[in-house]
Amino acid sequence: PSPSFPPQKDIFPPATHTVVDTIESEFPPETFPQSIHSVPLESIRHPAVEIIPSLTIPNLTVPSFYDPPQFQPYGGIRSYLGNYGQELMTPLQARSIGSKLENGLETIFVAIASYRDFQCRQTIESIFTRATYPSRIRVGVVDQYDYQVDTPCSQPQVPCEQDPKQILCKYKSQIDYYQMEAQYAMGPVFARHLGNRMYRGEYFTIQCDAHVDFVLDWDTSIIQQWKSARNEMAVITAYLSDIHDSMDAEGHLIRKTRPIMCQSDFEDTGVTMHLRHGQQPEGPAGIHGEPTLEPFWAAGFSFARGHFVVNVPYDQHLPWVFQGEEISIGLRGFTYGYDYYTPETSSCFHYYAKADKTGKRHTVKLFWENAKKLNRTIVKKVEQGGMMRLNGIIHMGQPSVTEDSWNHMDEKKYGIGNVRTPEKFFETFGIHMENFKVESHLCRFVGRNMHRIWKQYLRKDGMGIDYDRITYRFKDPDVHGNTWQKLLP
């Protein structure tokens, strides 16, 4: 059974503003909520078939990307918002994205990718019942399940006719489901790509897993933290802490620590080698009253303005990719001008299998089960094809991998921007692509030190950190000492 949640509140506060939000948009406000069925669906080839055309996998009918009519005179929404990252968005362009309720309250879209997960419904219930203002929330679920065996995430405990107060019933107009037969699942990258397609103009976006519980008043907390950064390009992101000892039965936050993204190293060999963020350190926040800048992006929790998923959607053409998604989105977002922050306090927590004393999470199926249905050689070829494209796009490919050896389809749509270069990221944070090594002990710099130095370079209009003014290059402090000390304000 799902845990008990407190009664919902829906008392509207006075609207607050960011720098960008004080600018008048040149477009009329979007309506809320909008469904994925408000525009025609489209048919796409399954990404595995792009690599191995002989595979007998049918085309998929999927939601169309958010691209409303008002942007068509500019060539579409991506052209309007900085022309696919060729230029940094202007405050006016950024202001064009984001619906609000009639009282000025910003809306939130929550994207959930679920693979045969029994806690999917519980996650949705937590989102709505623990929000201060559930009327501003819309949830999009990519529900990959076995049609013959599993219960879909959309099914309430009893029919809505019997109990219309159930969360899935009460807020059904604010929940969209994209249902997909589990046997066609190709990993979290493709699932989250489908989740990005479900966005419909909300002011803020969240990405999380299907086994997460939110704290009481999470929506007002995370929005206030985001606004306190005074950075339109801020993305609050972290590996979620385990739910054990993190909040009480009513959802009140009791954990006094938070994780920070600062640990990364190369993993695997050959064409599938990639930069992976390992176990991240956790401790009390060193910066108070605002989130803390960090270099890396995490897939398990990401909170940003709506234009983040418009500008940096998950790549449609990366089948069977599991590790590597985070450096892909993180670097692409960096080149578009986005900055990553860890929250001062957490808004939700994760159910990890290793800490689950009930053992239930150990029984949840993983998409890897589909590999058993395919020839091992085919699986390896699909995985290698996806990883060569992933690394090639973000300039992290092996020297032996030539440009003509990987799929360049839709590279403009899923590629890097021109606001910053991947090489700027590598040299700033001690990543050496010439020998695939990283400078050790980056976590000593990330946190208070990086935040205090980087904050000086936040653009006056709030449109991100100006990396053109940053010349610092991280070096291992065990070898070179604390080279950042002279830069602290």
Side-chain angles (χ1 to χ4, degrees):
S2 301
S4 59
F5 295 114
Q8 302 95 284
K9 295 178 290 183
D10 217 358
I11 304 171
F12 299 114
T16 54
H17 298 280
T18 61
V19 174
V20 169
D21 204 25
T22 61
I23 299 172
E24 188 68 27
S25 173
E26 60 181 312
F27 301 109
E30 283 283 16
T31 58
F32 176 85
Q34 295 183 41
S35 169
I36 58 173
H37 300 290
S38 60
V39 295
L41 304 182
E42 64 175 290
S43 177
I44 64 171
R45 277 206 303 172
H46 192 283
V49 177
E50 295 171 354
I51 297 174
I52 304 179
S54 61
L55 289 175
T56 56
I57 302 177
N59 285 358
L60 302 173
T61 301
V62 300
S64 300
F65 276 114
Y66 174 72
D67 196 0
Q70 61 264 35
F71 297 106
Q72 300 315 305
Y74 301 89
I77 191 170
R78 296 287 299 278
S79 295
Y80 176 79
L81 295 177
N83 191 22
Y84 292 84
Q86 294 307 297
E87 302 170 348
L88 180 66
M89 287 185 300
T90 66
L92 179 62
Q93 290 166 350
R95 180 66 184 87
S96 69
I97 304 299
S99 58
K100 294 184 179 182
L101 302 186
E102 292 183 358
N103 64 340
L105 204 64
E106 301 95 337
T107 58
I108 304 173
F109 171 66
V110 185
I112 301 172
S114 174
Y115 185 86
R116 308 190 66 182
D117 200 315
F118 72 96
Q119 289 184 296
C120 178
R121 185 184 66 203
Q122 175 183 323
T123 299
I124 298 174
E125 292 170 346
S126 172
I127 288 169
F128 282 103
T129 56
R130 286 185 176 153
T132 313
Y133 309 107
S135 60
R136 66 152 148 219
I137 297 164
R138 179 175 158 265
V139 172
V141 181
V142 179
D143 193 11
Q144 305 159 108
Y145 69 101
D146 186 325
Y147 290 2
Q148 306 302 317
V149 177
D150 303 326
T151 300
C153 187
S154 58
Q155 183 174 313
Q157 289 183 302
V158 299
C160 291
E161 293 77 11
Q162 296 181 23
D163 185 4
K165 294 183 179 180
Q166 295 173 97
I167 293 301
L168 298 193
C169 307
K170 182 176 181 179
Y171 294 103
K172 62 181 180 181
S173 66
Q174 293 166 237
I175 308 173
D176 267 323
Y177 304 92
Y178 177 81
Q179 295 178 327
M180 178 178 176
E181 176 62 63
Q183 65 175 320
Y184 299 131
M186 283 283 123
V189 170
F190 186 58
R192 287 168 174 153
H193 163 81
L194 296 172
N196 289 166
R197 284 175 170 270
M198 300 177 80
Y199 170 78
R200 286 296 176 266
E202 289 81 9
Y203 200 90
F204 292 110
T205 63
I206 289 178
Q207 176 176 293
C208 71
D209 292 332
H211 34 275
V212 169
D213 268 2
F214 284 72
V215 301
L216 200 61
D217 299 324
W218 64 266
D219 54 328
T220 50
S221 172
I222 194 65
I223 289 175
Q224 184 55 44
Q225 291 186 68
W226 182 88
K227 289 185 176 183
S228 67
R230 301 191 65 78
N231 183 353
E232 176 70 14
M233 307 300 284
V235 181
I236 296 180
T237 182
Y239 283 171
L240 296 180
S241 304
D242 186 79
I243 195 165
H244 183 68
D245 292 333
S246 293
M247 58 184 178
D248 64 21
E250 287 74 40
H252 296 101
L253 178 68
I254 58 177
R255 182 176 288 271
K256 304 299 182 183
T257 60
R258 89 288 179 265
I260 189 166
M261 301 292 294
C262 60
Q263 181 66 40
S264 195
D265 206 345
F266 284 95
E267 181 180 80
D268 217 332
T269 58
V271 298
T272 58
M273 180 182 284
H274 57 276
L275 195 69
R276 180 188 179 189
H277 311 324
Q279 184 67 38
Q280 303 301 312
E282 180 162 338
I287 297 293
H288 299 285
E290 59 185 319
T292 303
L293 281 156
E294 59 187 357
F296 304 125
W297 180 84
F301 180 79
S302 176
F303 177 89
R305 284 280 274 113
H307 50 67
F308 179 65
V309 296
V310 173
N311 281 325
V312 194
Y314 266 79
D315 192 339
Q316 177 181 324
H317 310 289
L318 297 180
W320 223 273
V321 171
F322 183 71
Q323 303 295 352
E325 64 171 311
E326 292 172 323
I327 192 60
S328 172
I329 294 292
L331 255 178
R332 288 172 53 210
F334 175 86
T335 64
Y336 269 70
Y338 289 97
D339 302 306
Y340 307 120
Y341 293 74
T342 192
E344 182 178 358
T345 59
S346 297
S347 300
C348 54
F349 296 96
H350 193 280
Y351 284 90
Y352 289 99
K354 62 183 178 181
D356 179 21
K357 296 180 180 179
T358 69
K360 290 183 178 181
R361 288 226 57 83
H362 292 278
T363 65
V364 175
K365 302 292 185 180
L366 304 175
F367 82 96
W368 297 112
E369 66 177 339
N370 293 331
K372 301 175 183 177
K373 306 171 186 176
L374 298 172
N375 181 285
R376 187 177 181 85
T377 302
I378 291 178
V379 172
K380 185 175 181 180
K381 185 176 180 180
V382 171
E383 180 184 19
Q384 288 180 339
M387 287 304 298
M388 285 193 293
R389 173 184 169 90
L390 184 151
N391 283 325
I393 285 176
I394 59 176
H395 298 186
M396 297 192 79
Q398 294 283 328
S400 61
V401 178
T402 59
E403 282 288 306
D404 61 356
S405 63
W406 54 274
N407 176 14
H408 291 263
M409 186 180 299
D410 292 331
E411 192 172 353
K412 180 179 180 181
K413 183 185 294 186
Y414 304 118
I416 60 175
N418 195 45
V419 177
R420 306 164 182 153
T421 66
E423 289 69 27
K424 180 67 175 181
F425 183 86
F426 302 150
E427 67 185 32
T428 300
F429 297 109
I431 300 167
H432 301 290
M433 291 307 303
E434 68 277 8
N435 58 8
F436 295 91
K437 302 290 184 182
V438 301
E439 297 283 340
S440 299
H441 306 112
L442 179 61
C443 292
R444 296 186 195 172
F445 170 62
V446 175
R448 291 185 62 189
N449 297 311
M450 175 181 166
H451 185 86
R452 291 173 62 193
I453 297 169
W454 261 226
K455 190 177 176 181
Q456 301 173 96
Y457 304 114
L458 177 62
R459 292 184 178 89
K460 292 183 178 180
D461 62 0
M463 295 302 294
I465 302 294
D466 186 354
Y467 271 77
D468 289 340
R469 298 170 59 198
I470 294 176
T471 58
Y472 177 70
R473 298 186 178 189
F474 174 77
K475 298 291 184 182
D476 184 352
D478 271 6
V479 178
H480 302 276
N482 296 343
T483 54
W484 59 81
Q485 289 283 5
K486 60 184 178 181
L487 301 176
L488 290 170

